[in-house]
Amino acid sequence: MSEIVQYQIQQLIDNGQTVQLALVEDVQTEPVSQKQLMLDAINKKLDPELKDQILPFLEAILQSQPTIAIKSYAQTTITITMPKRRYEKMGSPQVGQRLEINIKKI
């Protein structure tokens, strides 16, 4: 099974002969309001009749909750050390740029 994942270069160390790239999985996050997270949790716990009575009050209380970015899982990190010549052949990517890596069991 093959999985192609994009990684973002987080750190680059060039010692002259070799280059070390620290990569972190490029995870896209969506802004989610804390208000919505709280209301979703409450909706799961309360029975429908009680929910209908309490929800208007909770929405008023939670109105000012900020929007934050949520990561749904821990990111995979990879460190690669390669000869500088190979690094240059792949276009000398810099910190912040993305690489696509194919990971599969052989």
Side-chain angles (χ1 to χ4, degrees), residues 43-90:
N43 280 334
K44 291 177 187 175
K45 298 286 182 185
L46 299 178
D47 64 74
E49 186 179 315
L50 185 58
K51 189 174 17 175
D52 290 342
Q53 294 174 7
I54 294 178
L55 231 51
F57 296 110
L58 286 174
E59 286 181 358
I61 292 169
L62 299 174
Q63 195 64 35
S64 64
Q65 291 297 314
T67 298
I68 57 172
I70 302 291
K71 290 180 182 172
S72 60
Y73 63 98
Q75 294 174 309
T76 300
T77 59
I78 297 175
T79 302
I80 299 174
T81 302
M82 67 180 75
K84 188 165 185 174
R85 181 100 171 114
R86 173 176 264 177
Y87 169 75
E88 290 169 346
K89 279 186 175 182
M90 59 189 281

Side-chain angles (χ1 to χ4, degrees), residues 8-36:
Q8 185 172 28
I9 300 173
Q10 193 172 43
Q11 184 180 29
L12 173 74
I13 300 170
D14 182 350
N15 76 2
Q17 293 182 347
T18 62
V19 174
Q20 184 176 0
L21 301 174
L23 309 170
V24 65
E25 194 172 358
D26 187 25
V27 177
Q28 301 298 318
T29 59
E30 294 182 19
V32 177
S33 73
Q34 288 182 340
K35 171 186 169 185
Q36 191 58 49

Side-chain angles (χ1 to χ4, degrees), residues 1-13:
M1 184 174 166
S2 177
E3 180 181 359
I4 297 175
V5 180
Q6 286 191 3
Y7 289 84
Q8 185 172 28
I9 300 173
Q10 193 172 43
Q11 184 180 29
L12 173 74
I13 300 170

